[in-house]
Amino acid sequence: MATSESATKYLLDESRIPRAWYNIAADLPAPLPPVLHPGTHQPVGPDDLAPLFPMSLIMQEVSTEREVEIPEPVREVYRLWRCTPLYRARRLEKSLDTPAKIYYKYEGVSPAGSHKPNTAVPQAFYNREAGIRRITTETGAGQWGTSLAFAGALFGIEVQIFMVRVSYNQKPYRRALMENYGARCTASPSEETQSGRAILAQRADHPGSLGIAISEAVELAAQRDDTKYALGSVLNHVLLHQTVVGLEAMEQMALSGDQPHVLIGCTGGGSNFAGLVLPFLGQQLRGEGPRYRIIAVEPAACPSLTRGKYAYDFGDTGHLTPLTKMHTLGSTFTPPGFHAGGLRYHGMAPLVSHLKELDLIEARAYHQNACFAAGVEFARAEGIVPAPEANHAVRATIDEALRCKEEGRSQTILFNLCGHGHFDMQAYIDYHAGKLADQNYDEGELAMALAGLPSVGA
Ligand SMILES: *Cc1c(COP(=O)(O)O)cnc(C)c1O
């Protein structure tokens, strides 16, 4: 165990893998708004969700217990890559010539190369415990599909993945990884579901979206008793599972002798961000820690937290899911074709949206070229090539470190380096070739998508 204050990385051995996930619902100053039934607009109960999820996960979704025990078989699988390292970015600090101290928690050491197995493994475990034989899901860039395919292989569960068509065509290696783990991967929209066929009838060359792929996966899961659905972000139980990241990071920061002032994560659906920050925020809410500055970073091309509306909306394009209150760009949102960096979901985790409304976190958006520039600068100093999503967090971290330099302050910054970019090198090739465009999400399209929000009485 590294305890030196001059160390480059802080490691915890397997015995330090957390024994319980941290549930912030126990410490929230105001409860989350209820999830509503899509037909009646009345709050849903556990039974309404039973066709899609095993009851153990539904109970976690609504739990207000502060600690949720991690089952031993899950901790056993976590041992394959956890605890993950916490690094001090000394070379980046030097190249920025900043008085700030920069730390990062590195989740790219998992078999899938990101934080996503932290929830894929427990989700596969609870489904198997419930006697489920098959899980359906969606994937965008392919990180989530890879993670669930890996977890399915370990627990002997079939995995059927709907992969957003444009990624399916652009990322054959991600698809190969999923198939290597034994999963079935289909381009979405597909002919295999009602939802997919309806979209293809309107536009035969539709590039797909996460919202459409979710509809396809949910539709299949609802049809068969032996099949459930799994989501890789957004939901409370997913954010709960990701808290292993922040719980370990707290212990590692203690080893370093520093306390973070600023916490940073990129946000697609909100899970890696929440995984890092919720344990720290919980400490703050209980009055046991300082007030942290917490920054969620998203792409200007898909700016749900910074430009979306905080309203009830569907989680999918086919309107099969319950309604949740979240920052949303509208469920018909199709991400612009020029955007390379992932983080393409139309909504945000209700929990992260709630924290934003309570002013407990900040949000900002960056254009993609600035993010790739930060990722390249990071790689040249620290060696690791970040996933394009993580580049958003790197950008904000560098900007905060430069602010410290301007103000002559030595603050400590901690960010989540949620994955490596080894399967995303085409995006880096495009960046180096000057082929990435910086555009805002179109105002007119945004207004149109928001006009389609379901009307839910206050
Ligand atoms: C999936 C993914 C994201 C976005 O999802 P969150 O739930 O916001 O974390 C970000 N980074 C990586 C590496 C991913 O795989």
Side-chain angles (χ1 to χ4, degrees):
M1 209 180 278
T3 48
S4 156
E5 287 183 17
S6 61
T8 298
K9 60 187 187 303
Y10 297 89
L11 303 173
L12 300 172
D13 68 46
E14 291 170 20
S15 68
R16 305 308 305 160
I17 294 172
R19 291 179 187 278
W21 293 296
Y22 165 65
N23 183 8
I24 197 164
D27 295 317
L28 285 175
L32 273 175
V35 174
L36 304 182
H37 189 281
T40 64
H41 292 186
Q42 293 304 305
V44 298
D47 288 346
D48 293 309
L49 298 171
L52 294 185
F53 303 105
M55 200 44 77
S56 45
L57 287 173
I58 295 171
M59 295 324 283
Q60 289 183 1
E61 189 64 20
V62 298
S63 167
T64 52
E65 295 283 315
R66 184 170 289 123
E67 298 202 328
V68 176
E69 190 187 332
I70 305 177
E72 203 45 46
V74 171
R75 289 185 80 240
E76 225 155 77
V77 179
Y78 278 173
R79 282 192 187 105
L80 292 172
W81 73 96
R82 306 209 70 85
C83 300
T84 63
L86 178 90
Y87 286 87
R88 169 94 183 262
R90 294 182 184 276
R91 287 172 180 77
L92 180 64
E93 290 170 17
K94 209 166 277 166
S95 76
L96 296 171
D97 188 27
T98 174
K101 295 177 179 177
I102 302 174
Y103 289 85
Y104 58 96
K105 180 73 165 158
Y106 185 43
E107 289 295 307
V109 295
S110 81
S114 75
H115 62 291
K116 295 241 173 44
N118 295 333
T119 183
V121 169
Q123 289 197 53
F125 167 79
Y126 289 117
N127 272 286
R128 196 200 55 186
E129 291 291 287
I132 297 307
R133 293 193 28 223
R134 188 170 74 144
I135 304 179
T136 63
T137 197
E138 72 293 328
T139 198
Q143 282 276 13
W144 170 241
T146 308
S147 303
L148 193 66
F150 154 67
L154 293 191
F155 289 104
I157 293 185
E158 258 178 71
V159 176
Q160 159 80 54
I161 299 158
F162 290 92
M163 185 170 188
V164 175
R165 181 175 299 276
V166 57
S167 305
Y168 183 90
N169 293 331
Q170 281 170 1
K171 299 199 156 187
Y173 294 135
R174 274 282 168 203
R175 201 196 325 156
L177 261 182
M178 294 179 233
E179 287 168 355
N180 215 51
Y181 286 126
R184 189 163 163 261
C185 184
T186 308
S188 165
S190 80
E191 295 284 351
E192 296 189 14
T193 66
Q194 197 67 45
S195 322
R197 288 190 294 272
I199 298 280
L200 289 173
Q202 284 169 17
R203 184 178 165 190
D205 67 342
H206 199 292
S209 71
L210 277 173
I212 294 168
I214 293 173
S215 294
E216 294 207 85
V218 165
E219 185 183 320
L220 277 196
Q223 279 166 5
R224 273 172 49 170
D225 282 346
D226 66 351
T227 302
K228 298 282 182 204
Y229 166 71
L231 190 59
S233 184
V234 178
L235 298 178
N236 299 340
H237 67 265
V238 177
L239 276 50
L240 173 79
H241 299 157
Q242 291 295 350
T243 59
V244 287
V245 177
L247 291 166
E248 288 177 9
M250 280 179 116
E251 204 170 315
Q252 289 162 308
M253 286 304 304
L255 289 177
S256 79
D258 286 317
Q259 262 279 9
H261 301 99
V262 186
L263 299 167
I264 295 174
C266 68
T267 44
S271 74
N272 87 82
F273 167 78
L276 177 72
V277 312
L278 294 185
F280 289 93
L281 184 57
Q283 207 187 37
Q284 171 188 320
L285 292 173
R286 293 191 303 275
E288 296 164 5
R291 177 161 177 132
Y292 299 100
R293 257 189 80 210
I294 302 178
I295 307 174
V297 194
E298 62 184 12
C302 185
S304 53
L305 264 181
T306 51
R307 288 180 60 209
K309 190 167 170 187
Y310 185 55
Y312 273 100
D313 197 7
F314 293 96
D316 71 321
T317 307
H319 296 179
L320 303 175
T321 68
L323 296 166
T324 53
K325 197 160 188 193
M326 60 183 175
H327 289 86
T328 178
L329 299 168
S331 63
T332 57
F333 170 79
T334 301
F338 64 82
H339 178 58
L343 309 176
R344 294 178 176 93
Y345 187 57
H346 69 272
M348 180 50 60
L351 189 45
V352 172
S353 288
H354 187 58
L355 297 177
K356 173 78 170 37
E357 286 302 296
L358 293 172
D359 269 333
L360 291 167
I361 64 169
E362 306 168 24
R364 64 172 77 158
Y366 285 111
H367 284 296
Q368 58 183 346
N369 279 295
C371 295
F372 277 91
V376 168
E377 190 173 358
F378 181 86
R380 289 178 186 177
E382 295 291 317
I384 298 169
V385 177
E389 295 89 342
N391 284 342
H392 293 77
V394 177
R395 175 77 267 162
T397 297
I398 290 179
D399 284 0
E400 285 299 308
L402 293 175
R403 174 189 58 75
C404 287
K405 179 176 171 177
E406 229 166 78
E407 296 172 359
R409 291 166 79 184
S410 170
Q411 290 192 320
T412 297
I413 304 166
L414 167 62
F415 78 96
N416 196 0
L417 184 54
C418 51
H420 67 66
H422 296 180
F423 292 94
D424 305 283
M425 293 316 293
Q426 187 59 48
Y428 279 93
I429 291 173
D430 293 343
Y431 166 71
H432 289 298
K435 284 191 193 158
L436 296 185
D438 283 340
Q439 287 170 39
N440 288 319
Y441 183 46
D442 184 76
E443 282 300 334
E445 264 182 64
L446 177 59
M448 212 157 69
L450 289 179
L453 287 180
S455 57
V456 174

